[in-house]
Amino acid sequence: MSNNLPTILVCDDSLLVRKQMKDCLKECGEFNILEASNGQAGVEAVRLNKPDLVFLDIVMPDKNGIDALNEMKAVKNDIKVVMLSSSGTKTHLKAAMDAGASDFIQKPWEKSQIEHIVKNIR
Amino acid sequence: MFSQYFGHYLLNKGLVKPEQLADALEYQRSVHLKLGVIAINAGLMTPAQVEQIHNLQKQVDKRFGELAIEKGYINEDQLNTMLNTQKQGHLMLGQALIDRNYFTMEQLKTALENYKKESGMSNRQFNVIVNNDTQEIEKIFLGFGENQMSKAYSDYTTLLIKNIIRFIDDNPTIEINKSKDDVKVSWYARQEILGRLNFNTGIACETDVFVKLASKFAGEELSEPDELAQASVGEFLNLHNGIFLVNMSNNDIELELHPQEVLRDFSLRKSNSQYVISCHLNWGRFDVILG
């Protein structure tokens, strides 16, 4: 990105979630916000734009969030990825942490949770 | 939580005038639910017996429950159950209608009986679902001959009621039936749950309800079944299923979800292992398909 703002990628197959997340991020500060609607598109967005932070859903078509997380880490090892999912089962939680996720937020999220994560970005 | 739906029923049947319903709905906020109304609703006493106890209370300084036991109309266990009855919306409205002299006890009894009958629910099923009782909901599935999945389905249904109240509308009326016929629906959001328990879930409804449901969940007014509305209904199903998976995971049952999808003009084939959980709101009805 040409400006100096942090870049955040929101990767979720739901248009509603992406919209609500973008609205929430705009209330939390100034960011470049990117969107991806499936895991594969999310990995491509990381490859192209090297975002500072990714909010990543788990249950998605065309590559689930755990597989996408592994590939994102391979592209940019220090990338900060926060899983944002309705299905925070023990299996998903463990898989996400094993793959290097920095946090896990169970949907529906509270604005304060997002604020807390984005305030120390970079 | 059922007051608005029961209110609409009374209005549609011409049993109350709009201004009477508005007055009673306002008044019910401060209403004190009396044991007589609970006893009539539970089928434990007749209106005449309730009136008799009320008249006796004018002569002797005793409580309603005490006198009803003395007269042999109820026993102590039944009294305790009545005392534990939560503030049920439809009963609060019933009490308000009586207190405001729009209904007699007899009229309320008849209206309640017809309301339950026309909702397609037995007395027991109605009270169980109002009280959100997981074990009793399981008995409903067992009653349909569902042995393998009854516990999971009752957990699913109990959580569904909570999530409808949490995210959509605080006045749902729920009925559970086996799928009986092939049905064509305008919209069908579906998602498969996989793992040790394997079943399909879906939300079926017509366009007007689809848009309203989408608006309620999105928290904004949507006017057509566009991509955002489809995403909203799909995400409500996905969120509910995700929370169900977390609850199951806490009980050491690990499950997975397929991504949800939303389909237009879908034909639902009847299946003996499929259930229809009809969710009646005062703005329409949608069906949750399970099985």
Side-chain angles (χ1 to χ4, degrees):
Chain A
M1 294 289 165
S2 55
N3 59 39
N4 208 24
L5 296 174
T7 298
I8 299 176
L9 169 65
V10 179
C11 183
D12 196 302
D13 59 327
S14 169
L15 175 66
L16 178 75
V17 172
R18 297 200 304 276
K19 179 181 179 293
Q20 291 181 334
M21 195 62 191
K22 276 194 297 181
D23 291 345
C24 181
L25 287 170
K26 282 175 189 165
E27 287 174 21
C28 293
E30 283 192 66
F31 310 101
N32 296 311
I33 304 172
L34 305 171
E35 290 180 57
S37 61
N38 61 59
Q40 184 58 42
V43 173
E44 292 306 316
V46 167
R47 205 185 306 278
L48 280 172
N49 300 288
K50 307 283 191 295
D52 301 285
L53 172 66
V54 181
F55 287 103
L56 182 60
D57 188 18
I58 292 182
V59 179
M60 287 187 292
D62 298 330
K63 197 163 285 175
N64 69 45
I66 302 296
D67 290 343
L69 171 61
N70 278 309
E71 292 190 30
M72 286 174 185
K73 282 282 174 184
V75 171
K76 188 176 185 248
N77 189 43
D78 63 345
I79 192 167
K80 190 174 175 186
V81 179
V82 174
M83 308 310 285
L84 183 68
S85 173
S86 63
S87 60
T89 63
K90 284 181 241 176
T91 305
H92 283 163
L93 199 56
K94 184 173 184 311
M97 294 302 128
D98 286 349
S102 54
D103 210 337
F104 197 116
I105 296 178
Q106 169 80 30
K107 290 179 191 169
W109 69 83
E110 295 285 334
K111 187 184 162 195
S112 58
Q113 293 175 289
I114 306 301
E115 267 174 338
H116 179 72
I117 285 166
V118 299
K119 78 177 175 192
N120 292 323
I121 190 171
R122 280 192 181 160
Chain B
M1 74 195 210
F2 286 71
S3 57
Q4 284 184 26
Y5 187 72
F6 182 49
H8 273 249
Y9 170 83
L10 297 175
L11 201 59
N12 294 341
K13 294 284 169 186
L15 295 169
V16 290
K17 293 177 185 155
E19 57 272 22
Q20 291 176 331
L21 179 61
D23 178 52
L25 284 170
E26 178 62 30
Y27 178 78
Q28 73 164 353
R29 290 181 191 172
S30 57
V31 82
H32 173 63
L33 183 57
K34 298 187 181 80
L35 281 177
V37 168
I38 299 174
I40 288 171
N41 179 62
L44 295 172
M45 292 171 69
T46 65
Q49 289 169 335
V50 170
E51 296 289 358
Q52 184 196 13
I53 301 294
H54 282 162
N55 288 332
L56 271 174
Q57 280 185 290
K58 291 173 189 162
Q59 298 158 23
V60 292
D61 183 23
K62 285 188 177 175
R63 290 169 182 244
F64 183 97
E66 218 177 333
L67 288 169
I69 289 173
E70 277 179 18
K71 283 282 173 190
Y73 297 145
I74 56 170
N75 60 38
E76 286 212 15
D77 285 345
Q78 288 167 329
L79 175 63
N80 286 333
T81 306
M82 283 162 55
L83 290 171
N84 287 332
T85 298
Q86 294 168 350
K87 283 191 170 186
Q88 297 180 3
H90 67 295
L91 288 188
M92 301 297 283
L93 178 60
Q95 185 73 63
L97 290 165
I98 284 173
D99 290 357
R100 303 296 278 175
N101 292 320
Y102 298 139
F103 267 31
T104 64
M105 289 276 187
E106 192 66 48
Q107 286 171 321
L108 178 66
K109 176 177 178 278
T110 308
L112 279 169
E113 279 174 359
N114 289 336
Y115 171 57
K116 291 170 192 174
K117 205 161 122 192
E118 290 175 34
S119 303
M121 283 182 274
S122 67
N123 229 343
R124 185 171 144 267
Q125 187 175 146
F126 181 85
N127 287 321
V128 160
I129 291 176
V130 170
N131 286 324
N132 207 2
D133 184 325
T134 311
Q135 283 186 333
E136 290 296 319
I137 290 176
E138 186 178 356
K139 284 183 192 163
I140 293 171
F141 284 107
L142 285 167
F144 284 122
E146 181 62 60
N147 297 319
Q148 282 194 316
M149 297 289 284
S150 59
K151 174 75 172 71
Y153 286 170
S154 69
D155 288 344
Y156 189 92
T157 306
T158 310
L159 180 67
L160 175 71
I161 296 168
K162 285 182 188 166
N163 282 335
I164 290 171
I165 292 169
R166 184 176 171 195
F167 298 112
I168 306 294
D169 190 296
D170 62 0
N171 285 289
T173 300
I174 309 293
E175 54 179 305
I176 303 169
N177 286 298
K178 263 204 158 173
S179 123
K180 291 175 199 150
D181 304 297
D182 293 347
V183 185
K184 280 192 173 172
V185 291
S186 297
W187 293 95
Y188 190 54
R190 69 179 178 188
Q191 187 167 42
E192 192 178 354
I193 294 176
L194 308 152
R196 263 173 61 191
L197 307 172
N198 208 329
F199 57 97
N200 290 301
T201 66
I203 295 175
C205 57
E206 293 310 307
T207 301
D208 56 337
V209 174
F210 185 83
V211 174
K212 278 179 188 153
L213 177 60
S215 301
K216 294 266 182 185
F217 184 67
E220 61 182 284
E221 201 56 45
L222 304 173
S223 56
E224 52 183 328
D226 57 9
E227 200 186 345
L228 188 61
Q230 293 174 42
S232 181
V233 176
E235 186 59 22
F236 171 60
L237 180 64
N238 179 56
L239 182 66
H240 165 62
N241 284 338
I243 298 171
F244 175 72
L245 256 65
V246 173
N247 290 351
M248 289 289 110
S249 178
N250 289 336
N251 293 323
D252 292 324
I253 299 172
E254 291 296 309
L255 302 170
E256 290 288 334
L257 283 175
H258 259 321
Q260 72 276 17
E261 58 180 340
V262 179
L263 306 162
R264 178 110 208 220
D265 295 328
F266 189 76
S267 291
L268 273 164
R269 301 250 170 252
K270 80 166 181 185
S271 158
N272 204 32
S273 58
Q274 191 165 272
Y275 296 89
V276 179
I277 303 165
S278 296
C279 308
H280 300 266
L281 296 313
N282 56 27
W283 39 268
R285 185 193 106 192
F286 63 89
D287 291 337
V288 174
I289 311 298
L290 193 58

